[in-house]
Amino acid sequence: MNQEKVIVIDFGGQYNQLVARRVRECNVYCEIYSYRTDLEQIKAMNPKGIILTGGPNSCYEDGAPTYRKELFELGIPVLGLCYGAQLMMHVLGGKVEKAPIREYGKTEVMVDTTSPLFTDVSEKTICWMSHFDYISQVADGFDIVAHTTDCPVAAAQNLEKNLYAIQFHPEVLHTQEGTRMLHNFVRGVCGCSGSWRMDSFVEQSIQEIRQKVGDGKVLCALSGGVDSSVAAVLLSKAIGNQLTCVFVDHGLLRKDEGDEVEAVFGPEGPYELNFIRVNAQERYYKKLAGVTEPETKRKIIGEEFIRVFEEEAKKIGAVDFLVQGTIYPDVVESGLGGESAVIKSHHNVGGLPDCVDFKEIIEPLRDLFKDEVRKAGLELGIPENLVFRQPFPGPGLGIRIIGEVNAEKVKIVQEADAIYREEIAKAGLDKSIGQYFAALTNMRSVGVMGDERTYDYAVALRAVNTIDFMTAEAAEIPFEVLQKVMSRIINEVKGVNRVMYDLTSKPPGTIEFE
Ligand code: XMP
């Protein structure tokens, strides 16, 4: 999208996604890139401003993440936050040292309200501090514009060069006037007009899609999940019946899900879509037989998807475009943006086969976070129950079954997952937990049931709380609920004799198992 944007350079801090979110809340479009991103690439994006995030390192140590000095000489306003602030000073000749007193938590900060960062901010304001290093000396040309009792440089600025450094975290809500400070930076200092909105996203996307597609035919990969549903409705608003939605039942869906999706998007549902359901279960199980390596499984599932679409496309004749509901975290984690390590090849991003029979792929949600996709969904008039649906990955149960996938294992995990979801809903927890599901471990162990020895599978229960699916914490589910789920699964699902609860956060784990 050709519009004003602010670039956030990621140094690995825990609040980095929040920075992007707050900037967008100021109605300014924002993207996050790794600190490894080349300066030329940053320049080419022509950002109105640059924000350097926090991070866990000490900037003066060997091997700590850093950035070239030239970044500060582009004439583009730069705001450093926490580690980013220290790094700015370090690179420009100031001094950063271990702080005699570590500051953590809500702290009263005295600010100079004549600084453009602190326009309309109170002279004494509560901010969130979290640092063990501090700026003991600012670089030449900088003035100190905020301090605390223990921290002599809580903020500094070089007005002439438009460089700003803030030791605390304006992006977290504990910083009471943090949003105002970020607003001051992006709207005031950077001069962004603040024209980015979800409705303008929807409007602009519709225009762009119309322009791109012309009178071409478009095929949409509909999974029934939030992302592809929003993409489908967006496309249908843009091009009406030039769009055909293909829903592949790959036999890796949750219990009864195929029929539920058909009920919403099929001929009986509220949308005017060309809807085709392809029952490809057998075909998938055949392809996946004997395959255990997670990336290979993902690739096979993704590739088979494309093959099925190609076949459907041929039936429709001359399809020019394929639509996918890829969202920003998928792009990041597939190593196509942000930090470059490939964590998983997200379905239909890294998993795309080389030869695709379409002119182009359209990914209208590629720059959005999950909660923004939901906002776009509401903006498009999609019912709330669909918009706030549990996320479900494209490769489906294929990545919730560790090791080889077969019809028997699919059945086990479908049944266990249905019980888990039912009990979570009964306990009234379904709205408060970010994502929860059952997975089938590849572990079999010895048990005893009715005096008989058993040798069956272990089901793992996963439940995480997350804002943006980039980081997550295991959810605290009351023990009675877990016990109820365990007992029902063991009693009702044949082939399972053990149930475990996964406590791992992300990182180091991921939300899905493969
Ligand atoms: P991970 O496992 O990467 O999951 O921590 C983060 C979020 O993404 C979903 N997920 C996927 N969604 N295709 C998708 O459409 C995929 O290949 C895929 N892998 C993971 C996952 O359910 C979670 O919400």
Side-chain angles (χ1 to χ4, degrees), residues 249-427:
D249 188 340
H250 49 22
L252 304 167
L253 298 170
R254 288 168 287 198
K255 192 180 176 187
D256 300 330
E257 193 165 15
D259 296 340
E260 284 165 18
V261 170
E262 187 167 350
V264 176
F265 289 99
E268 311 297 322
Y271 301 109
E272 308 256 331
L273 301 170
N274 300 316
F275 178 84
I276 298 173
R277 176 174 176 173
V278 187
N279 289 315
Q281 292 91 330
E282 290 313 317
R283 188 169 161 170
Y284 270 86
Y285 295 157
K286 246 190 225 150
K287 282 264 171 192
L288 288 167
V291 183
T292 55
E293 208 281 313
E295 278 299 290
T296 315
K297 280 163 68 178
R298 281 176 168 271
K299 293 252 157 74
I300 289 174
I301 299 170
E303 190 157 338
E304 204 54 18
F305 239 90
I306 299 290
R307 296 293 157 249
V308 174
F309 284 127
E310 279 174 348
E311 289 168 18
E312 290 309 314
K314 283 201 187 97
K315 286 184 208 156
I316 298 162
V319 168
D320 306 288
F321 300 91
L322 178 68
V323 182
Q324 292 185 325
T326 317
I327 70 168
Y328 186 64
D330 306 339
V331 178
V332 174
E333 298 211 339
S334 295
L336 305 177
E339 290 290 309
S340 56
V342 176
I343 297 164
K344 297 172 180 182
S345 59
H346 267 253
H347 192 193
N348 298 337
V349 185
L352 265 185
D354 299 334
C355 54
V356 177
D357 249 3
F358 306 98
K359 194 159 97 189
E360 220 175 307
I361 301 232
I362 303 179
E363 295 175 312
L365 312 176
R366 199 181 163 85
D367 292 324
L368 302 188
F369 290 97
K370 192 77 161 195
D371 60 319
E372 293 173 323
V373 172
R374 293 198 165 112
K375 268 190 214 154
L378 294 176
E379 197 62 48
L380 283 161
I382 302 175
E384 284 201 17
N385 62 346
L386 225 160
V387 167
F388 291 97
R389 206 184 156 130
Q390 274 280 300
F392 189 65
L397 301 181
I399 57 170
R400 293 182 181 174
I401 294 172
I402 299 178
E404 187 186 356
V405 174
N406 59 39
E408 181 209 351
K409 288 183 176 177
V410 168
K411 178 91 178 133
I412 292 178
V413 77
Q414 276 179 339
E415 295 299 328
D417 182 67
I419 292 172
Y420 187 31
R421 281 189 288 138
E422 199 179 307
E423 290 301 325
I424 290 283
K426 263 197 223 156

Side-chain angles (χ1 to χ4, degrees), residues 144-157:
I144 298 171
V145 289
H147 67 278
T148 72
T149 324
D150 295 317
C151 178
V153 187
Q157 67 186 24

Side-chain angles (χ1 to χ4, degrees), residues 42-71:
I42 301 268
K43 253 164 65 179
M45 288 184 268
N46 195 22
K48 297 277 281 185
I50 296 170
I51 300 180
L52 315 181
T53 74
N57 301 77
S58 280
C59 63
Y60 46 80
E61 277 175 357
D62 281 350
T66 188
Y67 212 92
R68 286 163 55 187
K69 193 176 175 187
E70 290 81 356
L71 180 74

Side-chain angles (χ1 to χ4, degrees), residues 298 333 344 346-347 391 393-395 435 469 506 510-512:
R298 281 176 168 271
E333 298 211 339
K344 297 172 180 182
H346 267 253
H347 192 193
Q435 188 175 7
F469 298 86
K506 172 183 179 176
T510 51
I511 296 175
E512 302 291 347

Side-chain angles (χ1 to χ4, degrees), residues 78-138:
V78 183
L79 170 64
L81 304 177
C82 196
Y83 182 84
Q86 295 167 1
L87 185 73
M88 181 187 290
M89 291 304 155
H90 180 70
V91 169
L92 296 177
K95 202 161 177 197
V96 177
E97 297 176 84
K98 191 141 292 309
I101 298 173
R102 182 177 176 214
E103 280 183 305
Y104 184 83
K106 288 183 184 174
T107 311
E108 188 176 61
V109 178
M110 277 60 79
V111 305
D112 175 351
T113 54
T114 63
S115 159
L117 276 188
F118 300 126
T119 307
D120 294 332
V121 171
S122 327
E123 283 179 3
K124 283 184 184 172
T125 182
I126 298 296
C127 300
W128 185 256
M129 284 284 190
S130 172
H131 65 116
F132 44 83
D133 285 339
Y134 81 126
I135 300 164
S136 55
Q137 200 186 318
V138 294

